[in-house]
Amino acid sequence: MIQARKWLRDAEHVVVLTGAGMSAESGIPTFRGPDGIWKQFRAEELATPQAFASRPNLVWEWYNWRRELIAKAEPHAGHQALAHMEACAPNFTLITQNVDGLEERVGIRNLVRLHGDIWETVCTRCGERRRNHDVPLSSMPPHCFCHPEALLRPGVVWYGEALPSSAWDRAVHAVEHADLLLVVGTSAVVYPASSLITLGIRHGAHTIEVNPQSTPLSNDMDLRLAGAASSILPSLASVFP
Ligand code: OAD
């Protein structure tokens, strides 16, 4: 922890990559692990373009359920600690795989969303995105107002889809310029997000993993802080006044 705090205090550009474990203590289940979402549900039946094409109502309903769950969640001390890091570090970028929006709720501004945003809907015809915080949405996917023949879909990235290119480019640029890469609450198994970690290592950033469990990339990182985001991150951020 002492070494980690020193790297954080001295870093010119702090980059944080988060995954579902960052939101776990806010009551949003992770995807893998004993109580993970993908233990109860099959990703290919709910989180692919093919699933939405064949059973749009089911997919829409599942995202409605997740929106209801997320709407009840509050950011925790770890999110506040990241906001404090952003306020104090010379440069700070938060790259997240999460779609819940808890980062914005604590005022984090330099945010890259790799996997989209559950609070957006997208027209399946023209791709127009709209924010919508209603919970729940209608029980069936509505038709787009601009293209009445087209359905709206959730604004998240599904398996088999490319990541939004601007988000990806921003993420790569940030990691290439990072001198500290903090990897929080991700199993580091979903590509291409996980490749940002190896990119950071290759570019010589100090790398720190915050996770109660080890991951396939744990041994490649400089430091591993085994524990929960809500306790480790405030302890790290306390290096700043
Ligand atoms: P996972 O569910 O795969 O991994 C969550 C990680 O968080 C695990 O390594 C846990 O050990 C760790 N964890 C759990 N509680 C924690 C806590 N309190 N503090 C810190 N870490 C904790 O989630 P992701 O790696 O985010 O993709 O999964 C990546 C992608 O797979 C998701 O974005 C989603 C999913 O399918 C899409 O939906 C496209």
Side-chain angles (χ1 to χ4, degrees), residues 1 178 195 199:
M1 180 55 84
S195 71
L199 181 68

Side-chain angles (χ1 to χ4, degrees), residues 18-25 29-33 36-38 43 47 62-63 66 76 96-99 115 156-159 163 184-190 193 209-215 227-230:
T18 60
M22 183 70 212
S23 302
E25 293 162 275
T30 60
F31 292 95
R32 296 169 187 82
I37 283 183
W38 298 145
W62 189 68
Y63 279 94
R66 286 188 57 202
H76 58 67
T96 189
Q97 298 166 83
N98 300 341
V99 297
H115 291 168
V156 300
V157 175
W158 283 327
Y159 282 95
L163 304 194
V184 186
T186 177
S187 56
V189 295
V190 172
E209 181 170 64
V210 177
N211 197 318
Q213 309 292 330
S214 60
T215 71
S230 72

Side-chain angles (χ1 to χ4, degrees), residues 52-136:
F52 188 66
S54 60
R55 300 173 83 184
N57 294 356
L58 175 77
V59 172
W60 187 258
E61 229 173 80
W62 189 68
Y63 279 94
N64 244 343
W65 169 74
R66 286 188 57 202
R67 282 169 68 108
E68 286 185 68
L69 199 89
I70 291 168
K72 293 185 200 127
E74 294 292 333
H76 58 67
H79 294 100
Q80 304 288 355
L82 293 182
H84 187 52
M85 286 181 203
E86 180 172 51
C88 297
N91 296 285
F92 178 92
T93 307
L94 174 55
I95 304 167
T96 189
Q97 298 166 83
N98 300 341
V99 297
D100 52 46
L102 292 181
E103 310 81 11
E104 280 154 356
R105 302 251 310 270
V106 292
I108 289 173
R109 288 181 310 264
N110 198 18
L111 175 66
V112 181
R113 298 189 161 289
L114 290 181
H115 291 168
D117 184 343
I118 202 162
W119 300 111
E120 286 185 350
T121 55
V122 182
C123 172
T124 50
R125 168 64 74 84
C126 69
E128 186 185 273
R129 304 181 84 88
R130 296 203 157 206
R131 271 188 100 73
N132 181 333
H133 278 264
D134 296 348
V135 171

